Amino acid sequence: RLLFDYFTQSFAQVTNPPLDAIREEQVTSMRTCIGPQANLLTQGQSRTTAIDLPFPVIDNDQLARIAHVRSSDGTRRALKVKGLYRVAGGAEEMRTRIKEICEQVSAAVQRGIAYVILSDRDANAQWAPIPSLLLTAAVHHHLLASASRTRTSLLVEAGDVREVHHVAVLIGYGASAVNPYLAMESAEELVRDGSLPGVTAQEAVANLLQGLGKGVQKIMSKMGISTVASYCGAQTFEAVGLSRRFVDRYFTGTSSPMDGVG
């Protein structure tokens, strides 16, 4: 968790002329389609199967439905990847594990997997979660380098997402949707122990997801971006305090003027 906080706090937004998301509601949208993307520059018709998401922050039920999507012949179209590494191996083990996951996802995309879920669930004393931002950006750029990024969508099931900036950075580095499962469980627990009176657990979770998504919309609006589809993978950030070598490896194309730790 502390490592994820360090990563997210190391990325600052680069601003553009803003727009008013409330008064210009007709040109702003949080709706997005996930799945393979056809080549828009080809002549003639292109047919692809996609899932329409009204909001980029999703609950457990929505994620479960996506995880069980199958094609007409019964073939599974979704893959859940465990973003964990062995604690005993230290930094080298994390580096190796990220490489393995990138290769696993790349091979899955070649087999026709259209929805990749990067999950940090089931962490324990032996297996620690890779920071979701680091893993998402690494997989995103690996698929870009192999020219297969448009053939799949990345969804992030993350326990280290707690605030709007966390969601914004994940979407900015390639996540089509984010499932903050631990934040939702925390909201439900606050209702059960009486810390959040006047709402049910379902309402608390819905309010949390709404707040995170609307927060991302506000960030997009301040930057002059009107749709979440345009914000996804846009990398409108600067890295602060991260080494150029590290940024070039996992956050390719991001400016890191101050240099810093690896």
Side-chain angles (χ1 to χ4, degrees):
R1 177 175 295 181
L2 293 176
L3 190 57
F4 180 76
D5 284 342
Y6 179 83
F7 277 124
T8 54
Q9 291 166 8
S10 298
F11 287 85
Q13 296 278 358
V14 183
T15 59
N16 290 319
L19 57 89
D20 190 330
I22 298 176
R23 293 173 178 82
E24 299 179 73
E25 187 177 3
Q26 289 184 337
V27 297
T28 60
S29 175
M30 297 302 287
R31 184 177 296 275
T32 185
C33 289
I34 63 173
Q37 301 175 27
N39 187 352
L40 298 178
L41 302 179
T42 58
Q43 296 181 352
Q45 292 185 344
S46 296
R47 294 184 178 273
T48 60
T49 302
I51 297 175
D52 182 33
L53 288 181
F55 220 57
V57 189
I58 60 177
D59 59 28
N60 294 336
D61 291 339
Q62 290 173 300
L63 183 66
R65 286 195 291 269
I66 296 171
H68 290 85
V69 168
R70 295 180 180 270
S71 59
S72 57
D73 61 358
T75 305
R76 296 197 68 164
R77 301 298 307 280
L79 173 70
K80 179 177 285 191
V81 179
K82 291 290 185 182
L84 307 175
Y85 73 100
R86 288 190 179 276
V87 179
E92 184 60 35
E93 174 66 21
M94 181 193 287
R95 187 182 298 111
T96 301
R97 181 63 182 143
I98 292 174
K99 183 178 179 180
E100 291 175 351
I101 291 174
C102 289
E103 293 173 352
Q104 179 185 358
V105 171
S106 184
V109 172
Q110 297 300 323
R111 298 196 309 268
I113 293 296
Y115 312 99
V116 175
I117 302 170
L118 303 176
S119 174
D120 65 4
R121 279 188 182 269
D122 303 325
N124 53 39
Q126 289 74 40
W127 291 89
I130 300 171
S132 55
L133 173 59
L134 176 60
L135 182 60
T136 301
V139 173
H140 172 70
H141 282 290
H142 180 80
L143 293 177
L144 283 175
S146 60
S148 57
R149 183 63 184 89
T150 58
R151 297 169 60 179
T152 192
S153 288
L154 300 179
L155 299 96
V156 182
E157 184 181 32
D160 52 15
V161 171
R162 302 181 307 284
E163 56 189 63
V164 172
H165 184 61
H166 296 165
V167 180
V169 178
L170 283 171
I171 295 176
Y173 280 92
S176 296
V178 179
N179 170 248
Y181 69 88
L182 191 55
M184 292 188 295
E185 292 175 9
S186 299
E188 293 172 344
E189 180 62 26
L190 289 173
V191 172
R192 285 193 292 267
D193 66 18
S195 299
L196 284 179
V199 296
T200 65
Q202 292 78 9
E203 290 173 338
V205 169
N207 291 341
L208 171 68
L209 299 184
Q210 184 79 356
L212 291 175
K214 288 295 185 180
V216 173
Q217 185 180 37
K218 186 174 182 180
I219 291 174
M220 289 165 39
S221 301
K222 287 183 176 181
M223 303 183 66
I225 298 175
S226 59
T227 67
V228 71
S230 298
Y231 192 68
C232 181
Q235 296 191 188
T236 52
F237 301 89
E238 282 188 351
V240 182
L242 299 178
S243 73
R244 292 185 181 90
R245 181 178 179 183
F246 174 78
V247 172
D248 289 342
R249 173 65 182 84
Y250 296 108
F251 302 92
T252 311
T254 300
S255 174
S256 182
M258 292 180 58
D259 209 347
V261 301

